[in-house]
mmCIF file of all heavy atoms in Angstrom:
data_model
loop_
_atom_site.group_PDB
_atom_site.id
_atom_site.type_symbol
_atom_site.label_atom_id
_atom_site.label_comp_id
_atom_site.label_asym_id
_atom_site.label_seq_id
_atom_site.Cartn_x
_atom_site.Cartn_y
_atom_site.Cartn_z
ATOM 1 N N ASP R 1 0.868 -1.176 0.008
ATOM 2 C CA ASP R 1 0.052 0.033 0.012
ATOM 3 C C ASP R 1 0.837 1.275 -0.010
ATOM 4 O O ASP R 1 1.483 1.581 1.069
ATOM 5 C CB ASP R 1 -0.871 0.025 1.235
ATOM 6 C CG ASP R 1 -1.907 1.169 1.154
ATOM 7 O OD1 ASP R 1 -1.744 2.002 0.438
ATOM 8 O OD2 ASP R 1 -2.953 1.085 2.018
ATOM 9 N N PRO R 2 0.931 1.948 -1.080
ATOM 10 C CA PRO R 2 1.899 3.134 -1.169
ATOM 11 C C PRO R 2 1.354 4.363 -0.380
ATOM 12 O O PRO R 2 2.107 5.256 -0.168
ATOM 13 C CB PRO R 2 1.853 3.412 -2.662
ATOM 14 C CG PRO R 2 0.576 3.016 -3.120
ATOM 15 C CD PRO R 2 0.214 1.815 -2.359
ATOM 16 N N ASP R 3 0.170 4.329 0.082
ATOM 17 C CA ASP R 3 -0.358 5.435 0.854
ATOM 18 C C ASP R 3 -0.049 5.248 2.439
ATOM 19 O O ASP R 3 -0.203 6.161 3.168
ATOM 20 C CB ASP R 3 -1.894 5.502 0.712
ATOM 21 C CG ASP R 3 -2.329 5.827 -0.616
ATOM 22 O OD1 ASP R 3 -1.539 6.681 -1.275
ATOM 23 O OD2 ASP R 3 -3.376 5.370 -1.097
ATOM 24 N N GLU R 4 0.516 4.162 2.752
ATOM 25 C CA GLU R 4 0.998 3.876 4.114
ATOM 26 C C GLU R 4 2.475 3.785 4.165
ATOM 27 O O GLU R 4 2.982 2.654 3.778
ATOM 28 C CB GLU R 4 0.284 2.630 4.793
ATOM 29 C CG GLU R 4 -1.148 2.873 4.994
ATOM 30 C CD GLU R 4 -1.728 1.841 5.892
ATOM 31 O OE1 GLU R 4 -0.941 1.311 6.828
ATOM 32 O OE2 GLU R 4 -2.980 1.378 5.755
ATOM 33 N N PRO R 5 3.216 4.787 4.520
ATOM 34 C CA PRO R 5 4.656 4.783 4.497
ATOM 35 C C PRO R 5 5.246 3.678 5.423
ATOM 36 O O PRO R 5 4.602 3.238 6.309
ATOM 37 C CB PRO R 5 5.075 6.169 4.927
ATOM 38 C CG PRO R 5 3.928 7.021 4.798
ATOM 39 C CD PRO R 5 2.683 6.079 4.999
ATOM 40 N N PRO R 6 6.413 3.134 4.970
ATOM 41 C CA PRO R 6 7.044 2.067 5.905
ATOM 42 C C PRO R 6 7.364 2.744 7.191
ATOM 43 O O PRO R 6 7.648 3.926 7.293
ATOM 44 C CB PRO R 6 8.259 1.759 5.121
ATOM 45 C CG PRO R 6 8.504 2.915 4.211
ATOM 46 C CD PRO R 6 7.202 3.512 3.850
ATOM 47 N N ARG R 7 7.404 1.901 8.259
ATOM 48 C CA ARG R 7 7.816 2.515 9.628
ATOM 49 C C ARG R 7 8.576 1.474 10.370
ATOM 50 O O ARG R 7 8.710 0.312 9.985
ATOM 51 C CB ARG R 7 6.537 2.981 10.355
ATOM 52 C CG ARG R 7 5.563 1.810 10.764
ATOM 53 C CD ARG R 7 4.216 2.370 11.205
ATOM 54 N NE ARG R 7 3.359 1.359 11.783
ATOM 55 C CZ ARG R 7 3.167 1.205 13.064
ATOM 56 N NH1 ARG R 7 3.747 2.124 13.960
ATOM 57 N NH2 ARG R 7 2.350 0.286 13.519
ATOM 58 N N LEU R 8 9.181 1.956 11.403
ATOM 59 C CA LEU R 8 9.934 1.156 12.214
ATOM 60 C C LEU R 8 9.188 0.742 13.442
ATOM 61 O O LEU R 8 8.620 1.494 14.196
ATOM 62 C CB LEU R 8 11.248 2.015 12.797
ATOM 63 C CG LEU R 8 12.492 1.167 13.243
ATOM 64 C CD1 LEU R 8 13.045 0.326 12.133
ATOM 65 C CD2 LEU R 8 13.571 2.148 13.704
ATOM 66 N N VAL R 9 9.066 -0.596 13.674
ATOM 67 C CA VAL R 9 8.310 -1.206 14.785
ATOM 68 C C VAL R 9 9.198 -2.197 15.475
ATOM 69 O O VAL R 9 9.604 -3.208 14.899
ATOM 70 C CB VAL R 9 6.997 -1.813 14.288
ATOM 71 C CG1 VAL R 9 6.295 -2.529 15.482
ATOM 72 C CG2 VAL R 9 6.114 -0.820 13.593
ATOM 73 N N ASP R 10 9.550 -1.917 16.763
ATOM 74 C CA ASP R 10 10.320 -2.793 17.532
ATOM 75 C C ASP R 10 11.618 -3.127 16.784
ATOM 76 O O ASP R 10 12.139 -4.262 16.920
ATOM 77 C CB ASP R 10 9.569 -4.072 17.893
ATOM 78 C CG ASP R 10 8.399 -3.784 18.756
ATOM 79 O OD1 ASP R 10 8.387 -2.849 19.587
ATOM 80 O OD2 ASP R 10 7.443 -4.572 18.655
ATOM 81 N N GLY R 11 12.198 -2.178 16.178
ATOM 82 C CA GLY R 11 13.536 -2.277 15.532
ATOM 83 C C GLY R 11 13.463 -2.906 14.141
ATOM 84 O O GLY R 11 14.492 -3.091 13.509
ATOM 85 N N ARG R 12 12.262 -3.235 13.659
ATOM 86 C CA ARG R 12 12.138 -3.776 12.352
ATOM 87 C C ARG R 12 11.350 -2.804 11.368
ATOM 88 O O ARG R 12 10.413 -2.176 11.865
ATOM 89 C CB ARG R 12 11.391 -5.200 12.353
ATOM 90 C CG ARG R 12 12.153 -6.188 13.242
ATOM 91 C CD ARG R 12 11.678 -7.590 12.935
ATOM 92 N NE ARG R 12 12.093 -8.071 11.619
ATOM 93 C CZ ARG R 12 11.684 -9.222 11.134
ATOM 94 N NH1 ARG R 12 11.000 -10.062 11.853
ATOM 95 N NH2 ARG R 12 12.136 -9.614 9.897
ATOM 96 N N VAL R 13 11.744 -2.813 10.165
ATOM 97 C CA VAL R 13 11.078 -2.024 9.172
ATOM 98 C C VAL R 13 9.855 -2.956 8.732
ATOM 99 O O VAL R 13 9.975 -4.018 8.306
ATOM 100 C CB VAL R 13 11.946 -1.679 7.996
ATOM 101 C CG1 VAL R 13 11.131 -0.983 6.928
ATOM 102 C CG2 VAL R 13 13.161 -0.848 8.470
ATOM 103 N N VAL R 14 8.654 -2.254 8.673
ATOM 104 C CA VAL R 14 7.429 -2.967 8.351
ATOM 105 C C VAL R 14 6.687 -2.106 7.170
ATOM 106 O O VAL R 14 6.806 -0.940 7.201
ATOM 107 C CB VAL R 14 6.460 -3.220 9.475
ATOM 108 C CG1 VAL R 14 7.104 -3.989 10.607
ATOM 109 C CG2 VAL R 14 5.991 -1.932 10.071
ATOM 110 N N VAL R 15 6.009 -2.873 6.337
ATOM 111 C CA VAL R 15 5.149 -2.269 5.391
ATOM 112 C C VAL R 15 3.760 -2.933 5.326
ATOM 113 O O VAL R 15 3.615 -4.072 5.841
ATOM 114 C CB VAL R 15 5.691 -2.436 3.871
ATOM 115 C CG1 VAL R 15 7.003 -1.517 3.780
ATOM 116 C CG2 VAL R 15 5.982 -3.808 3.630
ATOM 117 N N HIS R 16 2.766 -2.207 4.855
ATOM 118 C CA HIS R 16 1.407 -2.769 4.854
ATOM 119 C C HIS R 16 1.233 -3.485 3.534
ATOM 120 O O HIS R 16 1.225 -2.817 2.488
ATOM 121 C CB HIS R 16 0.395 -1.597 5.032
ATOM 122 C CG HIS R 16 -0.989 -2.009 5.339
ATOM 123 N ND1 HIS R 16 -1.888 -1.311 5.935
ATOM 124 C CD2 HIS R 16 -1.577 -3.235 5.010
ATOM 125 C CE1 HIS R 16 -2.993 -1.958 6.158
ATOM 126 N NE2 HIS R 16 -2.921 -3.087 5.527
ATOM 127 N N LEU R 17 0.894 -4.798 3.654
ATOM 128 C CA LEU R 17 0.751 -5.572 2.442
ATOM 129 C C LEU R 17 -0.677 -6.096 2.297
ATOM 130 O O LEU R 17 -1.402 -6.265 3.273
ATOM 131 C CB LEU R 17 1.693 -6.695 2.448
ATOM 132 C CG LEU R 17 3.220 -6.447 2.439
ATOM 133 C CD1 LEU R 17 4.016 -7.772 2.451
ATOM 134 C CD2 LEU R 17 3.609 -5.558 1.277
ATOM 135 N N ARG R 18 -1.025 -6.287 1.063
ATOM 136 C CA ARG R 18 -2.280 -6.913 0.713
ATOM 137 C C ARG R 18 -2.064 -8.051 -0.269
ATOM 138 O O ARG R 18 -1.181 -7.953 -1.114
ATOM 139 C CB ARG R 18 -3.288 -5.969 0.088
ATOM 140 C CG ARG R 18 -4.695 -6.506 -0.171
ATOM 141 C CD ARG R 18 -5.573 -5.442 -0.723
ATOM 142 N NE ARG R 18 -5.900 -4.362 0.246
ATOM 143 C CZ ARG R 18 -6.825 -4.531 1.162
ATOM 144 N NH1 ARG R 18 -7.514 -5.633 1.156
ATOM 145 N NH2 ARG R 18 -7.070 -3.549 1.995
ATOM 146 N N GLN R 19 -2.713 -9.236 0.012
ATOM 147 C CA GLN R 19 -2.526 -10.392 -0.883
ATOM 148 C C GLN R 19 -3.210 -10.066 -2.254
ATOM 149 O O GLN R 19 -4.278 -9.521 -2.344
ATOM 150 C CB GLN R 19 -3.137 -11.665 -0.284
ATOM 151 C CG GLN R 19 -3.000 -12.837 -1.066
ATOM 152 C CD GLN R 19 -3.512 -14.076 -0.341
ATOM 153 O OE1 GLN R 19 -4.033 -14.069 0.756
ATOM 154 N NE2 GLN R 19 -3.582 -15.171 -1.018
ATOM 155 N N VAL R 20 -2.554 -10.606 -3.344
ATOM 156 C CA VAL R 20 -3.174 -10.435 -4.666
ATOM 157 C C VAL R 20 -4.369 -11.356 -4.738
ATOM 158 O O VAL R 20 -4.315 -12.554 -4.229
ATOM 159 C CB VAL R 20 -2.104 -10.843 -5.754
ATOM 160 C CG1 VAL R 20 -2.765 -10.799 -7.125
ATOM 161 C CG2 VAL R 20 -0.974 -9.908 -5.733
ATOM 162 N N ALA R 21 -5.417 -10.956 -5.283
ATOM 163 C CA ALA R 21 -6.675 -11.786 -5.388
ATOM 164 C C ALA R 21 -6.379 -13.145 -6.114
ATOM 165 O O ALA R 21 -5.716 -12.991 -7.242
ATOM 166 C CB ALA R 21 -7.743 -11.073 -5.956
ATOM 167 N N ALA R 22 -6.746 -14.188 -5.535
ATOM 168 C CA ALA R 22 -6.478 -15.456 -6.235
ATOM 169 C C ALA R 22 -7.297 -15.624 -7.532
ATOM 170 O O ALA R 22 -8.384 -14.989 -7.621
ATOM 171 C CB ALA R 22 -6.825 -16.719 -5.174
ATOM 172 N N SER R 23 -6.791 -16.339 -8.475
ATOM 173 C CA SER R 23 -7.428 -16.474 -9.793
ATOM 174 C C SER R 23 -7.224 -17.928 -10.283
ATOM 175 O O SER R 23 -6.175 -18.447 -10.144
ATOM 176 C CB SER R 23 -6.938 -15.493 -10.802
ATOM 177 O OG SER R 23 -7.448 -15.747 -12.043
ATOM 178 N N ASP R 24 -8.207 -18.449 -11.001
ATOM 179 C CA ASP R 24 -8.097 -19.743 -11.576
ATOM 180 C C ASP R 24 -8.132 -19.653 -13.032
ATOM 181 O O ASP R 24 -8.485 -20.656 -13.735
ATOM 182 C CB ASP R 24 -9.097 -20.705 -11.031
ATOM 183 C CG ASP R 24 -10.544 -20.235 -11.249
ATOM 184 O OD1 ASP R 24 -10.686 -19.098 -11.843
ATOM 185 O OD2 ASP R 24 -11.496 -20.969 -10.953
ATOM 186 N N ARG R 25 -7.779 -18.453 -13.584
ATOM 187 C CA ARG R 25 -7.805 -18.162 -15.061
ATOM 188 C C ARG R 25 -6.891 -19.170 -15.779
ATOM 189 O O ARG R 25 -5.846 -19.524 -15.248
ATOM 190 C CB ARG R 25 -7.452 -16.724 -15.359
ATOM 191 C CG ARG R 25 -8.455 -15.728 -14.910
ATOM 192 C CD ARG R 25 -8.259 -14.445 -15.656
ATOM 193 N NE ARG R 25 -6.980 -13.845 -15.459
ATOM 194 C CZ ARG R 25 -6.607 -13.022 -14.621
ATOM 195 N NH1 ARG R 25 -7.529 -12.424 -13.843
ATOM 196 N NH2 ARG R 25 -5.383 -12.485 -14.509
ATOM 197 N N THR R 26 -7.307 -19.536 -16.899
ATOM 198 C CA THR R 26 -6.411 -20.439 -17.802
ATOM 199 C C THR R 26 -5.560 -19.669 -18.781
ATOM 200 O O THR R 26 -4.906 -20.260 -19.554
ATOM 201 C CB THR R 26 -7.339 -21.484 -18.478
ATOM 202 O OG1 THR R 26 -8.220 -20.698 -19.337
ATOM 203 C CG2 THR R 26 -8.140 -22.283 -17.609
ATOM 204 N N TRP R 27 -5.773 -18.358 -18.706
ATOM 205 C CA TRP R 27 -4.977 -17.502 -19.672
ATOM 206 C C TRP R 27 -4.484 -16.237 -18.897
ATOM 207 O O TRP R 27 -5.300 -15.695 -18.131
ATOM 208 C CB TRP R 27 -5.842 -17.085 -20.818
ATOM 209 C CG TRP R 27 -5.176 -16.176 -21.809
ATOM 210 C CD1 TRP R 27 -5.570 -14.980 -22.163
ATOM 211 C CD2 TRP R 27 -4.130 -16.427 -22.678
ATOM 212 N NE1 TRP R 27 -4.825 -14.319 -23.152
ATOM 213 C CE2 TRP R 27 -3.892 -15.277 -23.499
ATOM 214 C CE3 TRP R 27 -3.334 -17.601 -22.902
ATOM 215 C CZ2 TRP R 27 -2.923 -15.293 -24.540
ATOM 216 C CZ3 TRP R 27 -2.288 -17.538 -23.860
ATOM 217 C CH2 TRP R 27 -2.130 -16.373 -24.650
ATOM 218 N N PRO R 28 -3.176 -15.849 -18.819
ATOM 219 C CA PRO R 28 -2.720 -14.843 -17.982
ATOM 220 C C PRO R 28 -2.998 -13.478 -18.355
ATOM 221 O O PRO R 28 -2.404 -12.577 -17.829
ATOM 222 C CB PRO R 28 -1.195 -15.084 -17.886
ATOM 223 C CG PRO R 28 -0.865 -15.779 -19.212
ATOM 224 C CD PRO R 28 -2.070 -16.508 -19.639
ATOM 225 N N TYR R 29 -3.800 -13.202 -19.275
ATOM 226 C CA TYR R 29 -4.135 -11.867 -19.774
ATOM 227 C C TYR R 29 -5.624 -11.607 -19.755
ATOM 228 O O TYR R 29 -6.456 -12.563 -19.950
ATOM 229 C CB TYR R 29 -3.662 -11.653 -21.201
ATOM 230 C CG TYR R 29 -2.220 -12.050 -21.310
ATOM 231 C CD1 TYR R 29 -1.881 -13.301 -21.843
ATOM 232 C CD2 TYR R 29 -1.174 -11.206 -20.960
ATOM 233 C CE1 TYR R 29 -0.524 -13.742 -21.961
ATOM 234 C CE2 TYR R 29 0.143 -11.596 -21.050
ATOM 235 C CZ TYR R 29 0.550 -12.865 -21.481
ATOM 236 O OH TYR R 29 1.864 -13.291 -21.682
ATOM 237 N N THR R 30 -6.104 -10.358 -19.561
ATOM 238 C CA THR R 30 -7.493 -9.963 -19.491
ATOM 239 C C THR R 30 -7.621 -8.748 -20.361
ATOM 240 O O THR R 30 -6.736 -8.096 -20.715
ATOM 241 C CB THR R 30 -7.941 -9.777 -18.134
ATOM 242 O OG1 THR R 30 -7.346 -8.642 -17.523
ATOM 243 C CG2 THR R 30 -7.614 -10.991 -17.161
ATOM 244 N N ASP R 31 -9.047 -8.294 -20.379
ATOM 245 C CA ASP R 31 -9.322 -7.163 -21.158
ATOM 246 C C ASP R 31 -9.372 -5.847 -20.296
ATOM 247 O O ASP R 31 -9.774 -4.755 -20.625
ATOM 248 C CB ASP R 31 -10.644 -7.247 -21.893
ATOM 249 C CG ASP R 31 -11.775 -7.680 -20.893
ATOM 250 O OD1 ASP R 31 -11.582 -7.676 -19.715
ATOM 251 O OD2 ASP R 31 -12.850 -7.857 -21.434
ATOM 252 N N GLY R 32 -8.901 -6.090 -18.956
ATOM 253 C CA GLY R 32 -8.928 -4.897 -18.066
ATOM 254 C C GLY R 32 -8.150 -5.261 -16.762
ATOM 255 O O GLY R 32 -7.815 -6.435 -16.570
ATOM 256 N N PRO R 33 -7.779 -4.289 -16.040
ATOM 257 C CA PRO R 33 -6.987 -4.461 -14.828
ATOM 258 C C PRO R 33 -7.845 -5.268 -13.824
ATOM 259 O O PRO R 33 -9.010 -5.153 -13.780
ATOM 260 C CB PRO R 33 -6.577 -3.120 -14.274
ATOM 261 C CG PRO R 33 -7.682 -2.245 -14.846
ATOM 262 C CD PRO R 33 -8.042 -2.847 -16.202
ATOM 263 N N ALA R 34 -7.146 -6.092 -12.989
ATOM 264 C CA ALA R 34 -7.891 -6.857 -11.891
ATOM 265 C C ALA R 34 -8.301 -5.863 -10.838
ATOM 266 O O ALA R 34 -7.616 -4.921 -10.485
ATOM 267 C CB ALA R 34 -6.884 -7.840 -11.335
ATOM 268 N N ARG R 35 -9.558 -5.928 -10.382
ATOM 269 C CA ARG R 35 -10.148 -5.041 -9.560
ATOM 270 C C ARG R 35 -10.390 -5.616 -8.183
ATOM 271 O O ARG R 35 -10.493 -4.943 -7.192
ATOM 272 C CB ARG R 35 -11.403 -4.357 -10.050
ATOM 273 C CG ARG R 35 -11.158 -3.709 -11.402
ATOM 274 C CD ARG R 35 -12.398 -2.989 -11.894
ATOM 275 N NE ARG R 35 -12.289 -2.304 -13.175
ATOM 276 C CZ ARG R 35 -11.641 -1.101 -13.256
ATOM 277 N NH1 ARG R 35 -11.216 -0.446 -12.257
ATOM 278 N NH2 ARG R 35 -11.494 -0.570 -14.552
ATOM 279 N N ALA R 36 -10.641 -6.929 -8.098
ATOM 280 C CA ALA R 36 -10.932 -7.597 -6.760
ATOM 281 C C ALA R 36 -9.771 -7.502 -5.836
ATOM 282 O O ALA R 36 -8.664 -8.003 -6.063
ATOM 283 C CB ALA R 36 -11.333 -8.992 -6.947
ATOM 284 N N PRO R 37 -9.969 -6.892 -4.667
ATOM 285 C CA PRO R 37 -8.806 -6.737 -3.707
ATOM 286 C C PRO R 37 -8.684 -8.104 -3.103
ATOM 287 O O PRO R 37 -9.638 -8.851 -2.825
ATOM 288 C CB PRO R 37 -9.343 -5.748 -2.750
ATOM 289 C CG PRO R 37 -10.821 -5.819 -2.754
ATOM 290 C CD PRO R 37 -11.214 -6.126 -4.177
ATOM 291 N N GLY R 38 -7.453 -8.403 -2.668
ATOM 292 C CA GLY R 38 -7.107 -9.643 -1.888
ATOM 293 C C GLY R 38 -7.206 -9.274 -0.327
ATOM 294 O O GLY R 38 -7.557 -8.281 0.065
ATOM 295 N N ALA R 39 -6.887 -10.426 0.393
ATOM 296 C CA ALA R 39 -6.925 -10.301 1.835
ATOM 297 C C ALA R 39 -5.793 -9.288 2.371
ATOM 298 O O ALA R 39 -4.703 -9.080 1.784
ATOM 299 C CB ALA R 39 -6.659 -11.687 2.475
ATOM 300 N N ASP R 40 -6.250 -8.510 3.342
ATOM 301 C CA ASP R 40 -5.358 -7.515 4.033
ATOM 302 C C ASP R 40 -4.416 -8.313 4.997
ATOM 303 O O ASP R 40 -4.821 -8.978 5.880
ATOM 304 C CB ASP R 40 -6.175 -6.536 4.722
ATOM 305 C CG ASP R 40 -5.296 -5.389 5.283
ATOM 306 O OD1 ASP R 40 -4.153 -5.574 5.423
ATOM 307 O OD2 ASP R 40 -5.933 -4.386 5.631
ATOM 308 N N LEU R 41 -3.165 -8.250 4.617
ATOM 309 C CA LEU R 41 -2.128 -9.004 5.447
ATOM 310 C C LEU R 41 -1.628 -8.204 6.629
ATOM 311 O O LEU R 41 -0.874 -8.666 7.448
ATOM 312 C CB LEU R 41 -0.991 -9.407 4.537
ATOM 313 C CG LEU R 41 -1.341 -10.349 3.430
ATOM 314 C CD1 LEU R 41 -0.141 -10.618 2.605
ATOM 315 C CD2 LEU R 41 -1.944 -11.619 3.968
ATOM 316 N N GLY R 42 -1.981 -6.914 6.680
ATOM 317 C CA GLY R 42 -1.509 -6.017 7.763
ATOM 318 C C GLY R 42 0.031 -5.656 7.540
ATOM 319 O O GLY R 42 0.429 -5.760 6.417
ATOM 320 N N GLU R 43 0.617 -5.408 8.638
ATOM 321 C CA GLU R 43 2.034 -4.935 8.586
ATOM 322 C C GLU R 43 3.010 -6.076 8.568
ATOM 323 O O GLU R 43 2.872 -6.956 9.516
ATOM 324 C CB GLU R 43 2.401 -3.922 9.694
ATOM 325 C CG GLU R 43 1.703 -2.627 9.451
ATOM 326 C CD GLU R 43 2.158 -1.609 10.491
ATOM 327 O OE1 GLU R 43 2.398 -1.938 11.684
ATOM 328 O OE2 GLU R 43 2.302 -0.405 10.195
#
């Protein structure tokens, strides 16, 4: 998430990540960008 800057927590650098939405497509290309958000993984 580029809107949440990295920060230092207990001496470690952390970033806020989100999982890419899972897909069972048989072709790796589509007619538009993926819009479904994946799971929020937190920092």
Side-chain angles (χ1 to χ4, degrees):
D1 186 345
D3 295 325
E4 292 196 27
R7 64 193 191 104
L8 200 62
V9 177
D10 297 328
R12 300 195 70 180
V13 174
V14 300
V15 291
H16 194 152
L17 297 180
R18 184 176 292 275
Q19 184 179 352
V20 177
S23 172
D24 58 359
R25 291 199 302 261
T26 59
W27 180 245
Y29 310 98
T30 68
D31 57 2
R35 299 186 183 280
D40 189 338
L41 301 177
E43 290 186 323

